[in-house]
Amino acid sequence: MYEVAVQRRTPRKLLLESRLPRGGPLAWSLAGIAAFTALLLIPRWTGWTLEHLHKEDGQIFLAVYTWTGLGSLIEPYTGYLHAGPRALTAACAQVPTGAFAACIGVGSAGFRMILAVAALAVFMPYSKNWRWALAASALFVAVPVGQQEALGNLTNLRWFCDAAALILLLGAFRRPIPAIGSTLIAAICVLSDPLALVLIPLALWRAATLTGWARVLPIGYLAASIGHIVALQPGARTADIAMYFREPVEMVTQLLVRGPMVAQFGQNATELAIKLVGLPIVTTALILPAIVLVRGTRNLLGDGRLLAIILTLAGLVFLGGTLIFADLEMIRLTEYWTVGQASRYSVLPGILIGQGIILAAANLSRIVFDRLARGITIGVLILAFVADSAGDPWNTRGPTWAETVDKARHECVGRSVARVQMTPTGVPKNWSADIPCRWLTRP
């Protein structure tokens, strides 16, 4: 009752303390998040990602680390820093060489688990109960499309980081240890992807409105943002915002399909539906999440409503910003399977829009229509997770890391460097790199 009163007295400020549930709910929450994290590590129908080293994970992050060591932490790639992936690469480079790919997969899943726990603390004071807070936060490890291109690699952790940066800035960590820990996570995230820099105005607002230890996070975020801005190489990538004016129908379709459609129904179900009935008819299915968001947020109190709306709109805004850097010709939705082209773009909106839908669904009324809408929404999300659990075949197309290391060690006889192949193979770009034999021949 006290928290409800606080929300009514201080609307639209998001000032309630971010905290984890206590006692049994905490144990069940951590167990649930850990269970979904474990599911990220199991083999898929298309192969086992823990046996393969993904694209840039090897060609860029591992290769640069083995030649430059910790200096790689501040090495830009495609014009910006990748602090999180490079730090995890440095850590996994210390394990036996043959276990490096597995370490990367476990590290990626573990990082997503940490983000889920942090999000749980932020959602708790604004959720109907701890179960709904858990359902929303668990999307960091259970978002359906997160089992596709983004599964088991460091390269695509940036999308999870962007979502976490937003959620952490919306929190209020009022105790020293949570404040310091969440600030460290937020700093790593903004130093891992320039898209997170768009949250600087939000960080300024939070620094102005929060007090005490809660102010540490937005201030730390601003400091890390300045560091990333200094390191940016703007000319490394080009943006084409004019595409929204040249092809408005295509871009709106991209936003709807790669955003709320994939968030609610998953990648594979969306592809199948487009194949069977066509894209125009499929988009009408968006009426389900639209109804849930409109009716559910109407019943939320001021701060809870603001949180759900921010999450949903931010998912679309982030996706819109991402698309201006994409090659539209490569991802046009002209065929059903193109939904999976650059499916990584759907991870960020999938998390944020999905969380907005879940928080809204929790507050639907008790009438039959709303109860039915809530049941269908959650049921469809579960089915989407199951449908997308097959994985992406490109993540395991090629030799295993063990086979690659064994071959490279033979090539290292009498040599100081060997050419190492990454996954996938049989694609236009050659994902391989020169790795020093002093690292490859380690125990």
Side-chain angles (χ1 to χ4, degrees):
M1 292 297 296
Y2 171 74
E3 290 184 351
V4 170
V6 171
Q7 288 192 57
R8 285 174 175 161
R9 287 199 303 269
T10 58
R12 299 182 296 279
K13 292 289 182 84
L14 296 169
L15 297 178
L16 297 183
E17 180 182 2
S18 299
R19 55 174 176 77
L20 293 172
R22 299 181 178 89
L26 175 60
W28 281 110
S29 297
L30 295 180
I33 291 173
F36 276 111
T37 303
L39 291 177
L40 296 177
L41 303 176
I42 63 176
R44 310 292 159 145
W45 295 346
T46 56
W48 197 6
T49 56
L50 267 62
E51 293 183 331
H52 296 262
L53 191 58
H54 179 87
K55 296 179 180 178
E56 293 100 330
D57 286 9
Q59 188 184 66
I60 305 300
F61 301 143
L62 175 61
V64 174
Y65 176 79
T66 55
W67 288 109
T68 66
L70 293 178
S72 64
L73 294 175
I74 57 174
E75 180 77 18
Y77 168 58
T78 61
Y80 60 93
L81 300 178
H82 298 74
R86 290 199 185 277
L88 284 170
T89 299
C92 285
Q94 311 312 310
V95 305
T97 303
F100 179 77
C103 180
I104 292 297
V106 173
S108 172
F111 186 71
R112 289 169 61 176
M113 179 176 68
I114 292 171
L115 299 184
V117 174
L120 175 63
V122 175
F123 292 150
M124 262 300 296
Y126 303 106
S127 299
K128 187 174 183 179
N129 55 49
W130 67 270
R131 294 178 179 85
W132 287 102
L134 170 62
S137 60
L139 283 186
F140 276 101
V141 288
V143 61
V145 74
Q147 302 176 95
Q148 297 289 331
E149 185 180 9
L151 179 65
N153 59 75
L154 304 181
T155 302
N156 291 301
L157 280 183
R158 52 181 290 205
W159 311 108
F160 299 94
C161 259
D162 292 331
L166 171 67
I167 293 169
L168 288 173
L169 283 171
L170 295 174
F173 296 88
R174 300 188 179 280
R175 301 182 184 184
I177 293 178
I180 294 171
S182 59
T183 300
L184 178 61
I185 296 171
I188 290 173
C189 284
V190 76
L191 288 169
S192 297
D193 186 26
L195 199 58
L197 294 174
V198 302
L199 298 175
I200 288 178
L202 176 61
L204 288 169
W205 174 60
R206 298 302 277 169
T209 56
L210 294 172
T211 59
W213 280 99
R215 186 177 286 176
V216 171
L217 192 153
I219 291 176
Y221 193 91
L222 290 170
S225 298
I226 293 172
H228 202 166
I229 291 171
V230 170
L232 282 179
Q233 299 172 343
R237 303 190 71 177
T238 58
D240 183 14
I241 195 172
M243 68 174 67
Y244 283 97
F245 302 97
R246 292 196 309 270
E247 301 187 61
V249 174
E250 173 67 23
M251 296 311 297
V252 169
T253 304
Q254 290 279 347
L255 289 173
L256 292 177
V257 173
R258 298 188 184 278
M261 180 69 69
V262 173
Q264 176 69 82
F265 302 100
Q267 176 183 313
N268 287 340
T270 299
E271 288 184 342
L272 180 61
I274 293 174
K275 180 180 180 181
L276 294 178
V277 301
L279 182 58
I281 296 178
V282 165
T283 55
T284 61
L286 288 174
I287 192 173
L288 173 62
I291 289 174
V292 171
L293 284 167
V294 171
R295 294 182 65 85
T297 54
R298 185 180 60 184
N299 295 331
L300 281 164
L301 294 173
D303 283 2
R305 180 184 304 163
L306 177 63
L307 179 63
I309 291 174
I310 288 176
L311 291 171
T312 305
L313 293 181
L316 287 172
V317 171
F318 272 125
L319 176 59
T322 300
L323 291 175
I324 68 174
F325 294 98
D327 183 351
L328 185 59
E329 296 305 318
M330 297 291 293
I331 62 171
R332 283 186 182 278
L333 298 171
T334 52
E335 299 287 346
Y336 74 92
W337 47 266
T338 56
V339 176
Q341 294 286 85
S343 69
R344 60 189 181 275
Y345 295 164
S346 293
V347 170
L348 176 51
I351 294 172
L352 296 178
I353 295 174
Q355 289 170 338
I357 290 172
I358 288 173
L359 294 177
N363 287 274
L364 289 170
S365 69
R366 294 175 177 266
I367 66 173
V368 174
F369 178 84
D370 282 358
R371 291 171 62 186
L372 182 61
R374 178 168 53 231
I376 293 175
T377 295
I378 302 305
V380 167
L381 271 174
I382 294 172
L383 291 175
F385 178 84
V386 174
D388 279 359
S389 65
D392 185 341
W394 294 103
N395 284 346
T396 55
R397 180 169 178 171
T400 66
W401 178 245
E403 294 170 339
T404 297
V405 169
D406 184 63
K407 179 181 177 181
R409 284 174 170 170
H410 282 89
E411 292 181 7
C412 279
V413 176
R415 301 176 59 184
S416 62
V417 64
R419 193 71 179 174
V420 175
Q421 181 64 51
M422 317 304 168
T423 300
T425 56
V427 293
K429 184 174 177 60
N430 178 22
W431 294 105
S432 62
D434 290 328
I435 305 294
C437 289
R438 56 179 167 76
W439 186 84
L440 288 166
T441 55
R442 294 167 60 247

